[in-house]
Amino acid sequence: MSLLIKGAALFGTETADLLVVDGRIAAVGADAASQAPSGTETLDADGLVALPGLVDLHTHLRQPGREDAETVLTGSQAAAVGGYTAVLAMANTTPVTDTAEAALRVWELGREAGLVDVQPVGAVTKGLAGEELAELGLMARSAAQVRVFSDDGKCVHDARVMRRALEYAKAFGGVVSQHSQDPVLAGPSACCHEGEVSGRLGLPGWPGIAEEVIVARDVMLAKHTGSRIHVAHVSSAGSIEVIRWAKAQGIDVTCEVTPHHLILTTDLLTGYDPVFKVNPPLRPTEDVMALREALADGTIDAVATDHAPHARHDKEHAFVDAAFGMLGLETALGVVRTAMDDEFDWNDIARVMSRTPARIAGLEEHGGQLAPGEAAHVTLVDPTATVTVDRAASVSLSRNNPWHGHELTSRVVHTVFGGKVTVRDGALA
């Protein structure tokens, strides 16, 4: 199987052809076409930017248990349309991904879909209960080779349990990804950034300090154990200060920000539209600007979607009763481009949406340099296009899309996964 990607601007700079043979990049440059075997398919990339396939550290695929909201197949389709070639599937399914057998099943479903690499995330604790460690070692030694562990949706709030998880994961090169939410400072009903808006709307407050105290505790635990810690969906300026300090001390901490926290603010909650209910909550403008600055200067390592599909009967309720979460896979690249247009070039986009996420997750075949010998995971983007988002056009099973009606910069035109064109002209191939 061979493919010639013709006339792409690599990372938005030099124009070159890429020859793909048997799933790997065989040649790059003006002479790539001359090396193409007979019968090679040609993919026209004139005017398009070529990036390594995007990697999402934080995706909810809902299978098993909530196939009415999303499945591994439909989530993989949404990922491919968004330019992704690898996603990490979070563990808060039903049943929870807290055993090797459960992790293996998610991994197998991803292989059956064949559109992106689906890497399961293992739960830190059994049943996400925060009390007893899950089968971390068995999940790591399984064919799924789980390397990222998270109780996402819930915080590992017990410091002793968190310490043990960090020590255990260190033994096989794993990393714990923490949902930083002190359950006393921000309980299960907390749903709006604590401040003037929450007081005026009568919504339970979710203060930034509830995130920041857990981040501070966990970086000190990482220092004590010599382990890696990853902070999921960082949302507050105070958390950024802690992470910046920890990195300066040489503590092995990484973090991610969601696309929605780079643009959307807590003011959107004034209409009580549950599509904007997310955890952690949307924050004020000053936090949004701090997150952008931290992403630009490298304090924030990666962008992760926290793609959280929900069936209509879970989302269409009064704000306090609606499910947390919003869609993100199909729009992430456009949102990041729109938010960071003045600060980022295409190499920066590749860094935070492909190379660094792949490194954090231990996905050696992803996040490459578009060089000969690498796996042919490639995203081709129209840099000049503007797209008005239509939630009805989503390939996800759910419709809780906060970007409906927004105009975003750039459009994924083609996605190539392992040498196979999965998305052609913006649609599933």
Side-chain angles (χ1 to χ4, degrees):
M1 184 174 68
S2 56
L3 173 71
L4 181 66
I5 301 172
K6 197 162 182 60
L10 307 186
F11 301 99
T13 56
E14 63 174 308
T15 299
D17 297 341
L18 288 85
L19 176 63
V20 175
V21 178
D22 295 331
R24 308 197 79 83
I25 299 174
V28 179
D31 61 342
S34 65
Q35 302 176 47
S38 176
T40 295
E41 177 188 358
T42 298
L43 190 64
D44 183 14
D46 182 43
L48 305 182
V49 172
L51 302 173
L54 307 185
V55 176
D56 189 24
L57 288 168
H58 196 143
T59 300
H60 296 275
L61 296 181
R62 303 302 188 208
Q63 189 176 8
R66 290 307 306 268
E67 289 85 352
D68 56 332
E70 198 77 286
T71 67
V72 172
L73 174 59
T74 61
S76 296
Q77 291 172 336
V81 168
Y84 287 91
T85 56
V87 298
L88 273 69
M90 302 308 285
N92 58 341
T93 48
T94 306
V96 173
T97 308
D98 56 4
T99 66
E101 292 79 10
L104 190 60
R105 181 54 181 153
V106 173
W107 180 72
E108 288 172 342
L109 287 169
R111 286 169 64 86
E112 290 171 10
L115 295 169
V116 298
D117 275 332
V118 175
Q119 182 65 27
V121 173
V124 176
T125 64
K126 291 183 178 180
L128 308 181
E131 298 172 356
E132 184 179 355
L133 289 186
E135 298 178 357
L136 309 190
L138 292 177
M139 287 188 277
R141 291 193 294 273
S142 73
Q145 296 185 311
V146 178
R147 289 296 180 271
V148 180
F149 300 89
S150 180
D151 277 4
D152 185 60
K154 296 183 178 180
C155 179
V156 182
H157 60 86
D158 187 306
R160 183 172 61 174
V161 173
M162 188 63 176
R163 175 185 175 179
R164 288 176 175 170
L166 291 169
E167 290 171 335
Y168 199 177
K170 178 184 176 182
F172 47 81
V175 61
V176 176
S177 175
Q178 175 71 293
H179 174 113
S180 302
Q181 179 181 358
D182 185 294
V184 176
L185 293 172
S189 65
C191 60
C192 178
H193 173 78
E194 185 178 277
E196 186 273 331
V197 173
S198 67
R200 176 159 48 88
L201 299 181
L203 296 174
W206 201 129
I209 190 65
E211 175 178 289
E212 295 150 15
V213 295
I214 297 296
V215 174
R217 183 203 72 177
D218 286 351
V219 297
M220 295 308 295
L221 286 174
K223 179 181 181 181
H224 179 74
T225 58
S227 304
R228 297 167 60 201
I229 180 69
H230 181 75
V231 182
H233 43 48
V234 63
S235 69
S236 82
S239 293
I240 294 301
E241 292 179 15
V242 174
I243 293 165
R244 189 174 280 125
W245 172 87
K247 289 189 172 191
Q249 305 306 306
I251 299 171
D252 197 355
V253 55
T254 55
C255 64
E256 70 191 39
V257 66
T258 70
H260 48 268
H261 283 114
L262 292 172
I263 291 183
L264 305 180
T265 67
T266 192
D267 291 338
L268 289 167
L269 273 59
T270 56
Y272 294 100
D273 186 344
V275 76
F276 297 117
K277 184 181 180 182
V278 66
N279 192 2
L282 302 180
R283 301 286 186 193
T285 301
E286 52 266 34
D287 289 294
V288 170
M289 299 313 294
L291 294 173
R292 290 189 191 181
E293 179 183 351
L295 186 62
D297 69 22
T299 301
I300 295 177
D301 301 271
V303 172
T305 69
D306 196 7
H307 176 82
H310 288 291
R312 291 182 63 178
H313 58 264
D314 290 322
K315 199 65 171 170
E316 294 182 359
H317 290 279
F319 194 90
V320 293
D321 298 321
F324 290 100
M326 49 185 60
L327 300 185
L329 284 170
E330 295 170 77
T331 52
L333 181 63
V335 174
V336 175
R337 276 277 290 155
T338 301
M340 305 299 292
D341 188 40
D342 294 334
E343 292 88 359
F344 268 20
D345 59 20
W346 285 104
N347 192 57
D348 293 318
I349 295 286
R351 170 175 56 84
V352 301
M353 298 189 74
S354 181
R355 283 198 297 268
T356 303
R359 175 181 59 79
I360 292 170
L363 300 179
E364 297 179 356
E365 291 282 79
H366 292 268
Q369 298 290 338
L370 301 179
E374 295 178 350
H377 305 312
V378 185
T379 300
L380 295 158
V381 183
D382 183 345
T384 63
T386 56
V387 177
T388 301
V389 179
D390 178 5
R391 60 174 168 244
S394 174
V395 298
S396 169
L397 288 182
S398 295
R399 292 293 178 265
N400 52 309
N401 191 332
W403 306 106
H404 178 68
H406 285 247
E407 189 174 89
L408 302 177
T409 303
S410 302
R411 170 178 172 264
V412 174
V413 180
H414 310 300
T415 306
V416 178
F417 169 61
K420 179 179 74 172
V421 180
T422 56
V423 171
R424 191 188 306 273
D425 296 325
L428 292 166

